[in-house]
Amino acid sequence: MTSRSFDVLAGAPDSPVLLHVPHSSRVVPPDAREGILLGDAELGRELDHITDAHTAEIAAVAAAGAGVTPWRFVNRLSRLVVDPERFPDEREEMLAVGMGAVYTRTTHRDALRPAGFDPAPLLDRYFTPYADAMADAVAERLAATGRAVIVDVHSYPTEPLPYELHGDGPRPPVCLGTDPFHTPPSLLDAAREAFGGFGGLATDTPFAGTYVPLPYYGKDPRVGALMIEIRRDLYMDEPGGAAGPGVEALGAALAALVDAVPSHHSA
């Protein structure tokens, strides 16, 4: 299943794992570009900072290396179009810095879109279909295997950016984002083991939580979820530079996590 804005890449029929890659793209289509105030050079710099560059590559390495191929849900548009992981309403804490589902401010808190910008067309065109398709992908894993395990693949800059609400905390090589309802201890333990070789791990700092589609969020314990946040200096030149050999090592670690999942049932 393919659309212009995301891809669902099939894994093994018996895999419960869905690698979710929401922020790896730099693509801003013309209808979204029109509402952005930045010039092209400024927009390029903003994309350098805001994009989780090469995370789709890390997920691809993991999918190729895993014993049981996971499914992948990959956003093909920049998070500057819509951010599929934000709440689309006032529940979103990032609204405080102009970074709800449709950003109005940049990473450096400058204006990204004009005052009074109406996000509804972008939400209707991009956010809602994405959210629906992600919920469908989870439903398919549940129907096929009895459970679904979402592993959210992100990265973050070595130095905090002004938009971060919790940027004063530790910035370990790998951060594991958890949810009290959806992250079983066995999944967190498996991730700690898989990513233990990169020089340090922490939980929920500098970024906390993980993504679960709203129809299941806080409701269905068969849906497990964990966010992997990789500090960018492990695998690329910052900001916005080329990927390095860390992509392969991180992909192998992610594959090890994927392979640990079938034996870790949510209890």
Side-chain angles (χ1 to χ4, degrees):
M1 173 185 171
T2 305
S3 88
R4 221 162 60 77
S5 65
F6 56 84
D7 288 327
V8 184
L9 302 164
D14 58 342
S15 174
V17 180
L18 193 59
L19 299 180
H20 182 221
V21 187
H23 295 156
S24 63
S25 175
R26 296 174 64 98
V27 174
V28 179
D31 65 322
R33 176 69 181 97
E34 285 170 16
I36 290 175
L37 298 170
L38 308 180
D40 289 347
E42 292 172 299
L43 177 58
R45 282 194 295 275
E46 180 64 11
L47 287 166
D48 287 345
H49 290 296
I50 200 69
T51 304
D52 293 353
H54 317 298
T55 47
E57 282 176 67
I58 292 170
V61 170
V68 178
T69 307
W71 293 65
R72 281 177 288 155
F73 195 110
V74 182
N75 190 3
R76 297 302 184 193
L77 298 182
S78 170
R79 62 197 290 192
L80 294 183
V81 181
V82 296
D83 189 333
E85 295 211 314
R86 303 288 197 236
F87 287 115
D89 54 34
E90 65 286 342
R91 284 175 294 182
E92 180 50 63
E93 72 166 0
M94 296 302 291
L95 278 172
V97 287
M99 292 180 125
V102 175
Y103 298 174
T104 57
R105 296 268 160 190
T106 70
T107 50
H108 290 75
R109 300 201 179 196
D110 299 320
L112 179 70
R113 289 182 166 96
F117 181 85
D118 179 10
L122 290 177
L123 293 173
D124 290 345
R125 180 161 184 186
Y126 298 113
F127 185 94
T128 302
Y130 188 108
D132 291 347
M134 188 67 187
D136 289 346
V138 169
E140 286 175 14
R141 293 303 85 220
L142 288 171
T145 73
R147 62 208 186 97
V149 179
I150 301 164
V151 179
D152 230 1
V153 186
H154 290 256
S155 71
Y156 74 98
T158 305
E159 297 298 326
L161 288 165
Y163 84 91
E164 294 182 27
L165 292 179
H166 310 288
D168 52 354
R171 301 177 83 79
V174 178
C175 158
L176 303 174
T178 68
D179 178 88
F181 186 88
H182 290 284
T183 308
S186 58
L187 180 59
L188 186 57
D189 289 346
R192 286 182 172 134
E193 190 169 328
F195 286 92
F198 294 97
L201 277 167
T203 305
D204 294 316
T205 176
F207 295 97
T210 187
Y211 174 77
V212 174
L214 287 175
Y216 299 98
Y217 183 64
K219 297 171 190 161
D220 194 332
R222 298 174 303 160
V223 180
L226 179 75
M227 178 169 68
I228 310 288
E229 282 272 7
I230 301 160
R231 205 176 63 205
R232 291 178 190 155
D233 61 341
L234 288 187
Y235 72 90
M236 67 176 284
D237 294 325
E238 296 181 86
V247 166
E248 292 294 328
L250 289 157
L254 186 55
L257 172 59
V258 168
D259 285 339
V261 163
S263 61
H264 289 270
H265 289 279
S266 306

